[in-house]
Amino acid sequence: MQHRLSNLVCSFSILTALLTAAPVSSSHSEEVIPRLNYEAVPDFFQLPSGEHFVEVAGIAVDSKGHVYVFHRGKRPLVEFDASGKFIRSIADDPFVTAHMVRVDAEDNIWTTDVGAHVVLKVSPEGRVLLSLGRMRIPGDDVLHFNQPIDVAFDRDRNIYVADGEGNSRVLKFNKYGNLLLAWGMKGSGPGQFDLPLNRNRRRSGLRGRSRERAYPDFRPEWPVSP
């Protein structure tokens, strides 16, 4: 069931990528429709009566197969079990404009909020463990974000934040939330970004001039001390 859920969660992004990358042909006979080995499950999420998703921004799955949906409705972060049954909403008050949700190796829940300008780490029990940025205060210094878009982690539990909408940069923090370094600014030159969209340990997704840039042995050109 967990494998099926992971396929369900990933199918939307994979379909989008395939359709975006597929060449457009002027002849319908030459078009190749990709075959996807995924099964659609209608009405999988069993929301409470009268509630609906509003602009779903992110979905993540934990080690138990529970699904977390981050959306822009009145209860932004909601949890479902592996069968799609509603479990609970989590920490409703801090959220302003949902953007992305991630789950780390310890099943902590991470959210990026482009309205509050913060990244939150929430325990599986629903307690806020860490807050990066300043609530509802955008900025371009090392203490502030301007519409942070995504968050990722490495094997040492360091934290990487794509501060993309306003600042076009990536910041690295240790597991305690202390800033280690930052790099990037708006532009198309070496080490510059147009709009960092997402992060993993070795790549930054971009919107604009360049879709993706990899840094296997990157040495930041703009190190920032805490």
Side-chain angles (χ1 to χ4, degrees):
M1 176 62 75
Q2 183 175 352
H3 179 68
R4 185 181 180 187
L5 284 173
S6 298
N7 287 344
L8 174 66
V9 171
C10 294
S11 62
F12 298 104
S13 58
I14 293 175
L15 178 60
T16 301
L18 286 171
L19 292 179
T20 302
V24 178
S25 173
S26 58
S27 172
H28 291 288
S29 62
E30 297 177 1
E31 292 181 357
V32 177
I33 301 176
R35 179 180 178 84
L36 300 177
N37 295 319
Y38 297 97
E39 178 184 353
V41 182
D43 303 318
F44 174 78
F45 295 108
Q46 303 161 35
L47 282 163
S49 178
E51 293 196 21
H52 306 278
F53 291 133
V54 179
E55 297 182 15
V56 174
I59 300 177
V61 181
D62 70 11
S63 64
K64 299 178 294 186
H66 285 204
V67 183
Y68 297 88
V69 178
F70 198 33
H71 70 117
R72 297 178 180 179
K74 64 180 181 179
R75 296 202 281 182
L77 182 58
V78 287
E79 178 183 359
F80 301 84
D81 70 11
S83 68
K85 179 182 177 181
F86 176 84
I87 300 297
R88 58 175 175 161
S89 64
I90 304 171
D92 298 341
D93 293 338
F95 302 119
V96 178
T97 308
H99 197 278
M100 182 57 69
V101 60
R102 302 288 185 185
V103 175
D104 66 22
E106 299 175 340
D107 279 345
N108 295 303
I109 307 150
W110 294 75
T111 62
T112 60
D113 191 318
V114 296
H117 307 287
V118 295
V119 176
L120 297 182
K121 176 184 180 181
V122 182
S123 73
E125 296 74 33
R127 182 166 59 93
V128 176
L129 301 176
L130 180 66
S131 177
L132 301 175
R134 296 294 183 266
M135 182 65 70
R136 297 177 183 261
I137 304 176
D140 58 5
D141 59 29
V142 297
L143 298 178
H144 297 79
F145 300 130
N146 191 342
Q147 300 182 62
I149 290 176
D150 206 351
V151 60
F153 329 97
D154 64 22
R155 68 183 63 183
D156 297 318
R157 294 193 292 171
N158 293 314
I159 307 157
Y160 299 83
V161 176
D163 188 21
E165 288 284 356
N167 288 327
S168 298
R169 63 181 181 176
V170 175
L171 297 95
K172 178 181 179 180
F173 302 84
N174 67 16
K175 62 184 179 181
Y176 304 109
N178 299 316
L179 182 72
L180 299 177
L181 53 90
W183 66 92
M185 62 174 61
K186 192 170 183 64
S188 58
Q192 294 180 330
F193 299 111
D194 191 351
L195 179 54
L197 286 181
N198 53 66
R199 283 284 303 149
N200 62 31
R201 288 184 304 174
R202 301 176 71 87
R203 294 182 179 270
S204 293
L206 309 174
R207 178 187 297 161
R209 297 181 183 88
S210 177
R211 296 302 300 175
E212 184 174 68
R213 184 170 296 162
Y215 296 95
D217 297 300
F218 184 70
R219 298 295 182 269
E221 299 185 26
W222 296 276
V224 180
S225 300

